[in-house]
Amino acid sequence: MSDTPPVLTPAPGMHLVPGGADFRVFAGHADAVWVVVDDGQTQRRFELAGPEQGGWWAAHLPGVVAGDRYAVHAAGPSGPDGGHRYDARQPLLDPYARGLDAQGRAVVIDDTFDWGADARPRLPWTSTVIYEAHVRGLTMTHPDVPIHQRGTYAGLTHPAVLDHLRHIGVTTIELLPVHAFVSEWALLQRGLINYWGYNTLAFFAPHPRYAAHADPQGVVDEFKTMVKGLHAAGFEVVLDVVYNHTAEQGAGGRTLSWRGLDNATYYRLDAFGQDIDFSGCGNTLDARDPVVIQLILDSLRYWVSEMHVDGFRFDLAVALARDKFHDYDPDHPLLIAVRADPVLASTKLIVEPWDVGMGGWRTGQFPPPFAEWNDRYRDDVRTFWLSDLAAAHQGQARHGARDLATRMAGSQDLFGHHHRGPVASINFVAAHDGFTTADLTAYNEKHNEANGEGNRDGAAYNRSWNHGVEGASDDENLLAARRRSLRNLLGTLLLSAGVPMLNAGDEFGRTQRGNNNAYCQDNEIGWLDWDPKPWQAELVDSVAALARIRRDHPVIHPARFFTGEPLHDGGPPDLSWFAADGERLAPHRWEDPSTRTLSMLLRSPDAEGADVLIVINGAPADVEVALPEVAGRRTYEQLWDSAVSAAPPAPGAIAGAGATIRATAASLQVWASRT
C-alpha cells in the first residue's frame, strides 16, 4: 500500500491538481482497486484507499501529468451469484475518462481552453429547425473541405458547410453519437465497423476517430473548437447520447469498464445475475441506482459546462426510466433529476420515447420540458403522401386526411397535456435509422445486403412507395413523380406546427441505395454526396424557400395549440379547414377515407400580419380548389408549390379570395393572404 495520504473526496475520475492528480472510482463490491499509470517510459502502480461509504475508492497520484495513459484494475468476487465479474488481470477504462487514445486507453486531459466570447445561441423552440447529421458522413466527400479535415469535427465548421446549413435554414445541429465508442466483434468479423456509434465506450470522451488531431488532448480541443465555431455562426449543438446501454453488450461480451468495476450496480440483472436487455444490444444500464444516476448527470453536466453543447437527444429513453418492476415511470428519479438540474435547465432535452422492451412505446408520455421524437408524425405523413397515395392510384381509399391534419396542427392528441405545446413534438419524416426521404419514394422493400445479415435487419414495413419501379430508373415521368413526392414530404415537414428535424442530405435527395439500416456503412452508402445534379440543387433551393416561409410566418410555428376559436370578436378561428369547394370541412368529410383534398388556413394573431393557407391535394388527379373567403382578406399570393421543381421567384401568383386555382395531382401549395 502506498504511503501517500489518500484523497477521499475528489470528484469521480482523474483530475489534475498541483503536484499530480486526484482520482476516484466506484467499485462497490471490490476487495482492492489500483491504477496503473503509463507515461510512455515507465509504468507506476497506485493503490486506492477504500472503499469509502457508498463503495468509492480514491487516492492522490503524485507526478501524474496531462497526456499520461492509465488503466484501473479491480479484484473481487466473480461468478453468477450476485452478478459479479471481477478479474484483477483485466485493465479497465475509467468510466469518467475524458480522453482516449487510438487504442482505447484512458488519457489524462487538461480541461483548460480559451473559449473567448463564446455564447450559446439559446434559440427558442418555436424558431428551431434541427439537422440530424453524422460528423464523419457529413463532410467525407465535400470538395471544399481540406482532405485532412474531411469527416472530422474541424471539417464540420468549414465555411462551405456553414454556408449550406445557413442556406437551408437549419438552426440546430444534432450530431449522431460522439461519445467514444467501439465496434462490435460480430461486425469486425464481417469486415465492417460500427458507423453510427450507438455502442458507447466512454461517456465523457469525444470519439477520437472524428478528429483531425491524433493527440488525445488535441481531440478534446478540436471538439471544443467545433462547438465554438458553430456558436459563432449562430448554430446550436445537440448531442445524440446513449446512456441506455454500453459497448460491453451481454454476458458474453467484452469486459471493458463498468462490468469489471461493479457489474451488479451498473447493469440491470435478473435473479440469476444475467443481463436484462431493454436496448436490444445485450445490456441495460440500471438508472435506478444512485451511482448510475450520478454518472449520467455528471456526463451531461460535463458536456454542457466544459464542452458548451446546447442539448441532448436521449437514445431509447424509456430504458432509462423503467422502475423496479420494469415499467415506464414518468416520475423516474433520473427524469426528475435531469429536469431539476440547474446546469441542464437551459438546454434542449429531446427523448426517443421508446425502447425494445414490453410496453416500450411511450410517445407523448414524457414530462416537460422533454421534447419527443414523434414517430406518429413520421408514420402518418408517409402514409398520406406515399402508401395511401399508391392505393389511391389503384382506386382504393384508406385513411383520408384526418391523421395528416392532426400531425400538421401539432399532434395535440399526443402532447395536449401537462402544459405542453406543439414544440414538444419533434417532427420528422426520415432519420438516420430507416430510409432516406428520397429512398422512401424509390423503394418498396429494404435492400440491406451490404450489412452482411442476409437482409434480415432493418424495418420491413416503411410506408414507402417506389412509384411503380423498384430502385433507380431513367424514366423521366417516374422521376418527376418521385421528386414531387419528395417535395411533398419535405414541404409538409417544414409547414407543420412542432419542431422539424431534417435528416442530413434529404435536402438534396440523398440515397442509401435502399439500405434502411446503414449503421455499419462507413462508405458512400452512409456518406453525403456533395456532387449534386441539377434537380438536387433545385431541391436544396426549394427547401431553403420553405425554411424562409416558416421563419417569416410565425403562425406556422406556434408555441400553443390552435383552439379553433376566433382570435378576435366576430373574427374567424385561428385554424380552419376547408374542402376543395371552399366550404368548411364538414364532420362527415373528416370521416370519409376518400377525402384527400383540403386547405388549412392559419390565421395571424396580428391584424397586420399574413394568414397562411396550405392547399393539400393528395388525390391522384388534378383538382380545382376554391380559395377560402375570409373576412378582411381579399387576395392570396402563392409562396410555394411542390408541383414546381424550382422555388418560385417573388412575387408569386396572385388570386382573389373565392377564386379557383388548380392543384396538381399529389401536390402541396402555400399561399399568404393579407388585407
Side-chain angles (χ1 to χ4, degrees):
M1 182 73 88
S2 170
D3 294 330
T4 304
V7 177
L8 299 180
T9 57
M14 186 76 73
H15 301 276
L16 291 172
V17 297
D22 291 341
F23 181 70
R24 192 167 184 243
V25 68
F26 178 82
H29 296 87
D31 299 323
V33 182
W34 61 96
V35 178
V36 176
V37 178
D38 185 346
D39 64 7
Q41 296 180 337
T42 60
Q43 291 187 347
R44 292 181 293 161
R45 172 171 166 156
F46 296 91
E47 304 286 343
L48 303 188
E52 303 171 16
Q53 186 174 1
W56 292 88
W57 300 70
H60 174 72
L61 314 182
V64 170
V65 299
D68 285 352
R69 274 64 171 166
Y70 67 101
V72 187
H73 290 258
S78 183
D81 294 340
H84 302 306
R85 299 287 189 273
Y86 288 103
D87 182 351
R89 300 165 299 177
Q90 177 68 43
L92 303 171
L93 185 71
D94 170 18
Y96 282 74
R98 302 193 304 284
L100 269 62
D101 64 14
Q103 288 73 46
R105 295 180 300 174
V107 180
V108 181
I109 295 296
D110 182 353
D111 284 324
T112 304
F113 183 78
D114 181 9
W115 283 102
D118 179 63
R120 297 185 178 91
R122 300 186 186 277
L123 301 171
W125 278 112
T126 51
S127 62
T128 298
V129 178
I130 298 172
Y131 190 76
E132 190 201 28
H134 189 286
V135 171
R136 184 166 167 83
L138 183 62
T139 62
M140 277 299 293
T141 72
H142 201 300
D144 296 330
V145 177
I147 292 176
H148 73 283
Q149 290 187 346
R150 293 179 187 174
T152 69
Y153 304 121
L156 206 152
T157 57
H158 188 278
V161 177
L162 298 179
D163 287 347
H164 173 79
L165 297 176
R166 282 194 201 94
H167 178 56
I168 62 173
V170 300
T171 66
T172 304
I173 315 304
E174 182 179 307
L175 297 175
L176 267 68
V178 297
H179 288 175
F181 62 89
V182 294
S183 295
E184 297 87 337
W185 180 243
L187 280 176
L188 297 174
Q189 288 180 310
R190 299 202 299 270
L192 300 168
I193 66 168
N194 188 312
Y195 172 59
W196 285 349
Y198 294 90
N199 202 42
T200 307
L201 178 63
F203 292 123
F204 293 76
H207 192 55
R209 190 165 178 255
Y210 293 166
H213 289 80
D215 172 66
Q217 182 70 54
V219 173
V220 174
D221 292 345
E222 184 178 325
F223 183 92
K224 293 179 178 180
T225 301
M226 175 197 73
V227 174
K228 184 178 178 180
L230 286 170
H231 284 173
F235 297 103
E236 294 179 311
V237 181
V238 170
L239 302 185
D240 193 336
V241 288
V242 187
Y243 295 113
N244 56 80
H245 74 281
T246 77
E248 291 184 315
Q249 301 183 293
R254 292 173 287 179
T255 296
L256 302 170
S257 176
W258 309 271
R259 177 174 290 141
L261 289 168
D262 204 312
N263 187 65
T265 294
Y266 279 112
Y267 295 114
R268 281 183 179 261
L269 305 178
D270 63 20
F272 303 100
Q274 300 301 309
D275 287 282
I276 297 173
D277 182 10
F278 293 123
S279 66
C281 300
N283 65 51
T284 305
L285 277 177
D286 192 351
R288 300 169 299 178
D289 193 281
V291 171
V292 178
I293 292 176
Q294 180 181 353
L295 173 71
I296 295 172
L297 290 174
D298 285 347
S299 172
L300 294 170
R301 292 189 197 106
Y302 176 78
W303 288 95
V304 174
S305 300
E306 293 292 340
M307 306 298 242
H308 286 208
V309 304
D310 303 284
F312 305 94
R313 177 265 189 189
F314 295 86
D315 180 67
L316 298 181
V318 172
L320 295 171
R322 288 183 179 267
D323 61 20
K324 64 180 180 180
F325 303 109
H326 309 309
D327 295 325
Y328 168 70
D329 180 7
D331 294 320
H332 190 280
L334 176 62
L335 298 186
I336 292 175
V338 171
R339 296 165 67 193
D341 189 276
V343 174
L344 305 177
S346 62
T347 65
K348 284 186 162 69
L349 301 172
I350 304 168
V351 296
E352 183 181 39
W354 53 81
D355 67 12
V356 302
M358 184 175 294
W361 183 81
R362 297 289 176 168
T363 304
Q365 299 178 41
F366 275 74
F370 292 104
E372 304 180 34
W373 272 27
N374 189 347
D375 57 326
R376 289 280 297 278
Y377 181 95
R378 174 199 64 198
D379 292 348
D380 289 343
V381 172
R382 289 184 183 185
T383 296
F384 183 86
W385 287 118
L386 296 172
S387 55
D388 275 9
L389 183 57
H393 274 273
Q394 303 300 319
Q396 303 171 20
R398 290 187 175 175
H399 300 91
R402 183 170 188 162
D403 291 341
L404 179 75
T406 301
R407 301 301 150 231
M408 292 188 71
S411 295
Q412 189 170 2
D413 60 328
L414 297 174
F415 302 104
H417 56 87
H418 299 309
H419 308 290
R420 308 181 85 185
V423 293
S425 175
I426 304 299
N427 299 334
F428 66 106
V429 174
H432 68 276
D433 186 3
F435 280 142
T436 67
T437 304
D439 283 355
L440 286 169
T441 72
Y443 294 91
N444 284 353
E445 309 294 337
K446 58 188 172 77
H447 297 271
N448 299 351
E449 290 80 8
N451 297 351
E453 300 180 41
N455 204 33
R456 294 184 298 273
D457 61 309
Y461 180 51
N462 299 278
R463 303 171 192 256
S464 58
W465 178 36
N466 65 14
H467 292 72
V469 174
E470 186 75 355
S473 174
D474 295 326
D475 186 317
E476 289 299 327
N477 291 329
L478 181 142
L479 293 175
R482 285 180 176 176
R483 292 165 190 169
R484 186 165 67 253
S485 290
L486 178 53
R487 291 190 292 272
N488 289 335
L489 293 167
L490 296 176
T492 302
L493 176 64
L494 287 164
L495 296 171
S496 295
V499 180
M501 183 184 78
L502 277 169
N503 181 30
D506 278 357
E507 70 273 19
F508 47 72
R510 182 175 82 90
T511 179
Q512 290 181 168
R513 307 171 196 168
N515 191 318
N516 75 351
N517 189 34
Y519 76 104
C520 55
Q521 297 301 322
D522 186 12
N523 49 47
E524 289 81 2
I525 294 175
W527 302 340
L528 273 65
D529 182 357
W530 289 98
D531 184 21
K533 298 177 176 63
W535 73 267
Q536 293 176 298
E538 289 180 342
L539 182 60
V540 169
D541 289 342
S542 196
V543 170
L546 287 162
R548 285 195 299 273
I549 293 169
R550 182 181 183 87
R551 182 188 64 232
D552 294 343
H553 296 84
V555 70
I556 296 174
H557 48 88
R560 296 180 176 87
F561 288 112
F562 300 107
T563 65
E565 299 296 326
L567 292 167
H568 311 287
D569 289 343
D574 56 1
L575 170 62
S576 303
W577 296 94
F578 297 88
D581 59 8
E583 298 297 321
R584 297 292 175 91
L585 203 63
H588 73 276
R589 286 184 167 178
W590 280 118
E591 304 299 331
D592 187 346
S594 66
T595 299
R596 294 191 58 80
T597 303
L598 69 166
S599 297
M600 177 185 191
L601 181 64
L602 307 172
R603 186 77 182 200
S604 173
D606 181 358
E608 300 300 320
D611 296 346
V612 172
L613 180 73
I614 303 171
V615 179
I616 303 162
N617 182 21
D622 294 0
V623 175
E624 298 293 322
V625 176
L627 299 179
E629 296 185 79
V630 180
R633 298 298 192 242
R634 290 179 294 184
T635 61
Y636 290 87
E637 176 188 348
Q638 190 178 64
L639 304 180
W640 187 81
D641 185 351
S642 71
V644 179
S645 60
I654 302 293
T660 298
I661 56 103
R662 177 173 290 275
T664 304
S667 70
L668 187 70
Q669 298 182 20
V670 189
W671 297 74
S673 178
R674 292 182 172 86
T675 54

